[in-house]
Amino acid sequence: HVPSPEWQDQIIYFLMTDRFDDGDSSNNNQGAGEFDPATNAKYSGGDLAGVTRRVDYIRNLGATAVWITPPVANQWWDPLLQYGGYHGYWAENFMAVDKHLGTLDDYKRLSDTLHRAGMYLVQDVVVNHMGNFFTYGSGWSAADPAASFQLNTQSAPRSAPSQAPFHMNDPRDASFRDAAIYHWTPPISNYEDRDQYTQYQLSDLDDLNTENPVVQEALRKSFGYWIQEVGVDAFRIDTALHVRPAFFKDFMSSTDPKAPGMFAAAKATGRDAFLAFGEGFTTDRPYQDTNTRQLDAYMVDPATGEDILPSMINFPLYGTATDVFARGRPTAELSYRIGKTMSLHRRPHLMPSFIDNHDVNRFLVDGSSAGLKQGLLMLMTLPGVPVIYYGTEQSFTEQRGAMFAAGFQSGGTDRFDTASPMYPYIQSATQLRKSNRVFTRGTPTVLKDNAAGPGVLAYRMAHEAARAMVVFNTADQEALLDNLPTGLPAGTVLKNAFAIDGAGQDLTVGADGTVTLKLAARAGFAWIASAQTATPPVASRSLTIAPLGSTNQNGDFTLTGTAGNTAPFQLVIDGDVTHAVTVTPAAGGAWSAVVDTGTMVDPAVRHTAVAYDAATGAVSASVPFHVVRNWTLLAEVGDPAGADTGPRGVEHD
């Protein structure tokens, strides 16, 4: 047992135990037809001993904590789904180690090894459901839970949980039915129905009646056990949104001496800041925050302001960051998401953030290595607890591929290559975070973004007197970062702290407190404001753009301004240097240029124009505008009711 760390300073490495490393091949095949590394549906052979022997590999990457998938005894094979519980989320006994993963002593050895290395152990837990030991046919009735009930009799290794009271899973037995350990419900059919969402079976998994005090006590006892016996430092709580928030108040804060809540169980082992973070698998559409607010309702009771769970995984940030870094969405969408993370959540620094995991595509399925590097730099410089999914450092594309040679989709070789390009990159990014508290404790302020498409995103991090600047260009061509308002005194030297391509340089803040520079495609930088000062850069010419009479334009329009001389310069729209228009001023320096708005169709999008001369460093003030077209209706075609039907004849108007 070790004291709790400051969790906002940690970096978590998340691994799927069965797919990570096989330290003891004798436990691979338990003889139930559940083991076959050739298929993703079955066990591959990874175990706790394998994780233990790779602790140095994980620590050297820069991680300070290891999150493992649930190590508890699982349903090994579900013949109804033709899939196995190698992942750990289909429990049959919450208080036993799955035989494929090793023994209780193996688990204690992992905990001890991590703690002696100055690291921490995060255990994945499930409170919403067990495995799929029963199901319902089409004749389900809420009034008669025995109607159309079916046991999954061919389930391996058994057809019912072995742990009391969860073994009471057959409502045809009156005593089991009345005990109400389960919600006797079929699979969810309507995810918009709150009762179904929290009380029906998710993917046919047997839904626990978490409103039942007997179930609550059993779950507290089950998971408090791992804190006491193994020294677990934190929990990730699976499918938390499928359980009502009131359950978590009891789970975390109960004072029952027979089965205390997790805070009390942890405190008894010297852990005063036990972290529990829930999974809320939900994202938000651009510039919306409905689901973000739903996450917050699991951390803080909206009615009373009381704390519930310390943290939730920041899925909305993941969704927006992936759209921006992998799919080329406007960087303003990520700017919005960062702002909402900070304004809506009480403890954003404790919310784990990630760029891919075991339930979603690997980033590299949709994005590039350059985009992945940007996403990882974002994780390391924003509030939250960064989570690195195993194999990301090896540029995995297979969602649940194995790291060890004999495992699923390994390519027949061990994948613990510390010379793999992404491994040293992550090493340097984790070092940046750990070396600068402004990134672990600071507050972000977005200074620049692009509402029109990929391009610049810039934010300042501030903690006490420390300041840092983080800048990205998410576009696949050069972008102009103009007039960045640093909020720092003129002449302040920004020391290069990180560059994605490794070739960063120091910057000096201009006389007006701004910085302007061109960014290479897919660039990413971090600078730390220093006490050093230098002479502010001064451009040898002055560029201006005359104010527009209206920020709303209904088509192509003309900009005018002054340039001081006749030397050509560039008119840059939305930061796109590659497609900038070269403007040659008339005698005396006056100039005019037509802005082509042919691709600008959304009136809500904020566009910008700026005059820029790379040779002298001159830049005008940025001029914002919107394109609001006068649309004319040319044709209208009605959609008759009943004309659109699906394969079952259901209307889809």
Side-chain angles (χ1 to χ4, degrees):
H1 294 296
V2 297
S4 295
E6 297 282 353
W7 282 104
Q8 63 266 49
D9 295 334
Q10 307 312 306
I11 298 170
I12 298 174
Y13 186 86
F14 170 37
L15 60 88
M16 181 165 279
T17 309
D18 177 69
R19 302 297 165 85
F20 187 64
D21 193 24
D22 185 1
D24 180 4
S25 60
S26 69
N27 59 30
N28 289 356
N29 193 342
Q30 299 294 328
E34 84 295 349
F35 173 74
D36 183 359
T39 172
N40 190 40
K42 296 188 176 185
Y43 285 83
S44 268
D47 51 30
L48 294 166
V51 180
T52 301
R53 75 176 182 181
R54 298 295 182 180
V55 166
D56 283 347
Y57 168 88
I58 298 169
R59 180 178 59 179
N60 290 338
L61 186 64
T64 62
V66 174
W67 157 13
I68 64 169
T69 44
V72 301
N74 256 236
Q75 179 184 30
W76 294 344
W77 184 249
D78 178 2
L80 299 181
L81 292 179
Q82 287 292 295
Y83 207 82
Y86 66 87
H87 42 70
Y89 297 98
W90 297 353
E92 68 88 7
N93 190 325
F94 287 128
M95 295 181 70
V97 174
D98 194 278
K99 291 181 179 179
H100 295 90
L101 305 185
T103 65
L104 180 61
D105 283 342
D106 289 328
Y107 197 16
K108 290 180 177 179
R109 190 171 298 111
L110 171 60
S111 176
D112 186 65
T113 302
L114 287 169
H115 290 155
R116 291 180 186 277
M119 300 173 71
Y120 302 95
L121 174 61
V122 182
Q123 178 176 318
D124 216 322
V125 303
V126 183
V127 298
N128 177 64
H129 57 262
M130 305 297 284
N132 183 24
F133 297 102
F134 66 79
T135 190
Y136 278 98
S138 59
W140 173 79
S141 168
D144 181 10
S148 77
F149 176 88
Q150 302 168 33
L151 280 177
N152 191 358
T153 56
Q154 300 304 306
S155 167
R158 49 183 56 85
S159 60
S162 60
Q163 179 188 2
F166 308 113
H167 69 292
M168 304 172 72
N169 74 331
D170 189 341
R172 296 172 298 185
D173 182 317
S175 64
F176 285 12
R177 181 176 63 247
D178 294 342
I181 301 303
Y182 295 90
H183 292 129
W184 306 115
T185 49
I188 301 169
S189 60
N190 179 6
Y191 281 81
E192 300 302 315
D193 183 326
R194 183 64 177 164
D195 287 338
Q196 286 199 32
Y197 196 83
T198 57
Q199 297 185 356
Y200 283 31
Q201 295 188 34
L202 175 66
S203 302
D204 214 15
L205 298 167
D206 305 348
D207 200 75
L208 290 169
N209 181 5
T210 49
E211 296 84 16
N212 185 337
V214 174
V215 173
Q216 293 171 356
E217 179 181 342
L219 291 172
R220 294 196 308 271
K221 179 180 178 182
S222 295
F223 295 115
Y225 170 82
W226 299 110
I227 299 172
Q228 176 62 49
E229 292 300 313
V230 176
V232 172
D233 300 296
F235 286 156
R236 178 266 193 180
I237 304 174
D238 181 68
T239 54
L241 292 187
H242 290 274
V243 179
R244 294 186 184 274
F247 166 81
F248 293 110
K249 287 186 180 181
D250 174 83
F251 183 68
M252 298 303 300
S253 302
S254 173
T255 57
D256 182 351
K258 295 181 299 180
M262 299 308 101
F263 287 140
K267 192 173 183 63
T269 65
R271 294 171 170 82
D272 292 330
F274 188 81
L275 181 66
F277 52 94
E279 178 209 21
F281 196 149
T282 185
T283 59
D284 273 308
R285 293 180 180 275
Y287 309 113
Q288 295 183 9
D289 60 19
T290 301
N291 295 322
T292 302
R293 291 177 183 275
Q294 184 182 14
L295 293 186
D296 201 61
Y298 278 75
M299 293 183 281
V300 179
D301 187 325
T304 66
E306 294 177 314
D307 287 337
I308 305 175
L309 284 172
S311 175
M312 293 287 285
I313 299 173
N314 199 338
F315 260 89
L317 180 65
Y318 149 77
T320 305
T322 304
D323 281 346
V324 168
F325 292 122
R327 303 185 184 102
R329 295 291 301 169
T331 61
E333 294 179 8
L334 185 51
S335 170
Y336 176 91
R337 191 66 56 216
I338 292 168
K340 287 300 180 181
T341 293
M342 300 307 297
S343 65
L344 293 180
H345 301 315
R346 184 178 290 182
R347 293 177 292 274
H349 292 81
L350 292 183
M351 294 179 68
S353 54
F354 68 101
I355 205 69
D356 52 15
N357 69 16
H358 60 320
D359 288 329
V360 300
N361 280 343
R362 294 276 186 174
F363 184 94
L364 291 177
V365 170
D366 300 309
S368 64
S369 292
L372 176 58
K373 288 180 176 181
Q374 291 186 317
L376 290 166
L377 178 57
M378 179 205 72
L379 295 185
M380 298 302 162
T381 55
L382 280 178
V385 184
V387 178
I388 302 165
Y389 185 41
Y390 86 97
T392 296
E393 76 281 7
Q394 300 297 331
S395 298
F396 273 23
T397 55
E398 171 59 46
Q399 185 189 68
R400 299 182 178 184
M403 294 277 283
F404 59 101
F408 174 71
Q409 288 279 318
S410 69
T413 184
D414 284 341
R415 304 290 294 276
F416 302 95
D417 180 9
T418 58
S420 175
M422 203 61 74
Y423 189 97
Y425 174 79
I426 294 176
Q427 276 185 319
S428 61
T430 57
Q431 184 59 35
L432 169 72
R433 183 175 182 85
K434 292 192 289 187
S435 299
N436 297 280
R437 185 166 281 200
V438 69
F439 296 126
T440 64
R441 308 295 182 90
T443 299
T445 301
V446 176
L447 305 175
K448 279 279 185 177
D449 58 27
N450 186 7
V456 167
L457 175 69
Y459 50 85
R460 179 178 61 235
M461 292 295 295
H463 174 64
E464 297 177 344
R467 298 291 183 272
M469 299 290 166
V470 182
V471 170
F472 299 96
N473 173 19
T474 65
D476 292 323
Q477 61 274 333
E478 277 190 321
L480 180 65
L481 173 64
D482 68 276
N483 301 293
L484 179 69
T486 65
L488 298 170
T492 300
V493 175
L494 295 168
K495 304 297 287 186
N496 171 54
F498 189 90
I500 283 180
D501 65 1
Q505 60 184 11
D506 295 348
L507 300 178
T508 301
V509 176
D512 58 356
T514 69
V515 168
T516 295
L517 71 158
K518 283 198 294 186
L519 301 172
R522 290 291 184 172
F525 299 96
W527 292 279
I528 305 293
S530 71
Q532 181 181 343
T533 59
T535 302
V538 177
S540 58
R541 71 185 298 192
S542 174
L543 293 172
T544 68
I545 300 179
L548 291 169
S550 171
T551 58
N552 292 339
Q553 305 296 317
N554 60 19
D556 293 354
F557 64 97
T558 300
L559 286 173
T560 63
T562 61
N565 57 47
T566 59
F569 64 88
Q570 291 180 301
L571 182 62
V572 181
I573 306 299
D574 294 327
D576 185 357
V577 177
T578 301
H579 298 97
V581 174
T582 299
V583 178
T584 301
W591 64 269
S592 67
V594 175
V595 177
D596 181 354
T597 64
T599 61
M600 303 175 187
V601 295
D602 186 348
V605 170
R606 180 192 77 250
H607 299 278
T608 61
V610 66
Y612 174 63
D613 180 8
T616 64
V619 63
S620 73
S622 178
V623 173
F625 64 93
H626 294 256
V627 177
V628 183
R629 299 185 182 277
N630 297 321
W631 297 101
T632 301
L633 180 66
L634 298 181
E636 184 173 4
V637 179
D639 183 13
D644 305 311
T645 57
R648 295 189 178 93
V650 179
E651 186 175 343
H652 291 287
D653 286 320

